[in-house]
Amino acid sequence: VLQRPEGWNVDQVLPILYNAMFFLLKSEDMSIRDAAASYVSDLISHVSEQDAESFQVLIMNTVVSGIRQGLRSNQEFARHESVSLLSHLVRTYPSHPRFSDMVPLTHKDPEADFFENIRHIQLHRRTRALRRLATSLAEGSLGPYCTTTFLLPLASQVVFTRQTNVEQNLVAEAINVIGAAAQRLKWSSYCFLLRHYLRQLPKRKDIQKTLIRVVVAILDAFHFDLTGARPLDEGEAGGSEHRGLLTDGGTSTEEGAGQFLSATDAVGTTETQEGERLATNEGKGNGGAPGEG
C-alpha cells in the first residue's frame, strides 16, 4: 500500500496498522513480529509531520498509543519492540515537541545509545542505560511528557519484573530513575506516582522491600516549596475535621488532611491531565509505573 504510485490515505492504512501493532505486541512468533515491525517502521518514515491529520491519527493516536501499551506489558519482547519503535520515532521526528527531548538519548554508536542498551541481552548494558537515564533526568534535560509517558513505565517494569540476585544492580538503577523523575514532576503527577506505589505495598508482598525503596526515593525527591503555605485552622475549614494545607489563596487540596500543595505551583488543568496519565497504568501488567493517558 505504501509503495503505490497513486499514493495512499489514512483509511487504507489504518486497518493494516492496527493489525501490525497487535502482532507486534502480542505475537510470540519472531518472524511475524519482524514483519509487523518492518511495516510500522516504513509507515513512520512515510508519514510527514506536516500532514497534521495523518500524523495525529497514525502516529500519535495509534503508534504512540501502542508503544505506551507495550512499555507496560508483562512480556519482555513487547517492551523491546516498543522501545525499538520509540527510537525510530525519535530519529524520524527529532524536532517534534513530543520527541525532541529524547534526541540526546540516541547515539550513532550502538554502545552509547540508550534505546539499544536498554533492550540489550547483557544486564550491564541495561544497567548502564538506566544510569545514563537517571543522569539525564537529574539534569532536567527530559520533559514531563516523555518522562511520564515512556520513561517511568519503562523503569517501573524493571522494579516489578526483575528480582533475582544478579539483577539487583539493575533494580537499583531503576529506582534511581524513578527518584530522579519524581524530582522533576509537578505536584499532581508526583502525588499520583507516590500514591500508586503506596497502593502496591500491600498487594505485592513478594517485592515489598523493593517497593519501600521506591517510596523512599520518591519521598526524598519531594521538591515543592511550602514556605508560603499555612495550616488550615478550624474556622477556615468551616468546622470540618480535615486538617490540610492551604495555598495563600485559601484553596484546600482535594482530599484535605495529609495533602500538600505548592504555594507557587497550584494544581491546574494541565497538571491534572498529567496526573490522569500517570493513573492510567493502575491495575495493568504487574502494577507498572503510571504512564501518560
Side-chain angles (χ1 to χ4, degrees):
V1 174
L2 299 177
Q3 304 298 331
R4 286 179 176 176
E6 65 272 20
W8 51 270
N9 58 51
V10 172
D11 291 335
Q12 292 172 328
V13 169
L14 192 57
I16 305 174
L17 179 58
Y18 278 134
N19 196 38
M21 291 300 297
F22 172 82
F23 284 116
L24 190 68
L25 301 178
K26 302 296 184 180
S27 177
E28 296 185 1
D29 188 313
M30 184 177 295
S31 62
I32 294 178
R33 291 204 311 271
D34 287 345
S38 177
Y39 173 80
V40 177
S41 297
D42 286 345
L43 177 66
I44 291 172
S45 300
H46 278 79
V47 176
S48 171
E49 191 176 339
Q50 306 305 319
D51 186 349
E53 180 185 0
S54 296
F55 186 85
Q56 183 64 38
V57 173
L58 298 176
I59 303 302
M60 299 305 298
N61 293 354
T62 307
V63 176
V64 171
S65 178
I67 290 173
R68 289 166 45 203
Q69 179 185 349
L71 292 176
R72 300 192 299 265
S73 173
N74 295 333
Q75 301 295 330
E76 188 172 57
F77 69 79
R79 297 197 298 272
H80 288 183
E81 296 291 356
S82 298
V83 169
S84 180
L85 280 184
L86 180 60
S87 175
H88 190 51
L89 283 174
V90 173
R91 287 177 164 85
T92 305
Y93 308 111
S95 61
H96 193 277
R98 295 300 195 190
F99 309 121
S100 58
D101 289 345
M102 293 181 283
V103 171
L105 296 178
T106 63
H107 202 280
K108 293 181 179 179
D109 182 1
E111 292 195 3
D113 187 284
F114 167 79
F115 298 102
E116 292 294 330
N117 284 327
I118 197 62
R119 56 195 183 96
H120 200 276
I121 192 172
Q122 294 178 326
L123 286 178
H124 74 89
R125 294 276 291 271
R126 299 188 192 188
T127 303
R128 187 169 62 191
L130 289 174
R131 187 179 301 119
R132 178 185 175 189
L133 178 58
T135 301
S136 297
L137 286 166
E139 293 172 350
S141 59
L142 297 170
Y145 174 81
C146 68
T147 299
T148 57
T149 306
F150 307 118
L151 305 177
L152 271 176
L154 192 60
S156 182
Q157 281 299 332
V158 175
V159 171
F160 284 96
T161 61
R162 301 286 179 177
Q163 295 299 323
T164 65
N165 290 333
V166 297
E167 295 171 323
Q168 288 307 304
N169 289 337
L170 188 67
V171 172
E173 293 298 338
I175 294 173
N176 290 338
V177 168
I178 295 171
Q183 183 75 36
R184 299 293 172 178
L185 296 179
K186 293 184 179 180
W187 165 249
S188 63
S189 299
Y190 177 93
C191 183
F192 272 95
L193 181 66
L194 177 59
R195 291 169 63 184
H196 171 79
Y197 280 101
L198 288 174
R199 281 194 290 264
Q200 294 301 319
L201 281 172
K203 298 177 182 178
R204 295 298 306 274
K205 294 184 178 180
D206 55 320
I207 56 171
Q208 200 169 61
K209 290 183 178 179
T210 300
L211 293 178
I212 290 173
R213 291 165 61 193
V214 175
V215 170
V216 170
I218 296 172
L219 292 175
D220 286 342
F222 188 89
H223 57 283
F224 303 100
D225 182 14
L226 299 179
T227 56
R230 57 189 175 84
L232 177 65
D233 60 39
E234 186 173 349
E236 291 170 323
S240 171
E241 295 181 357
H242 291 303
R243 295 293 183 271
L245 285 177
L246 289 178
T247 61
D248 288 340
T251 303
S252 63
T253 58
E254 182 181 9
E255 294 188 10
Q259 298 290 334
F260 298 91
L261 186 63
S262 170
T264 59
D265 193 16
V267 177
T269 302
T270 301
E271 289 177 281
T272 302
Q273 292 172 345
E274 291 176 359
E276 291 171 351
R277 288 199 296 266
L278 283 167
T280 56
N281 267 349
E282 284 299 326
K284 293 187 179 181
N286 282 331
E292 185 271 355

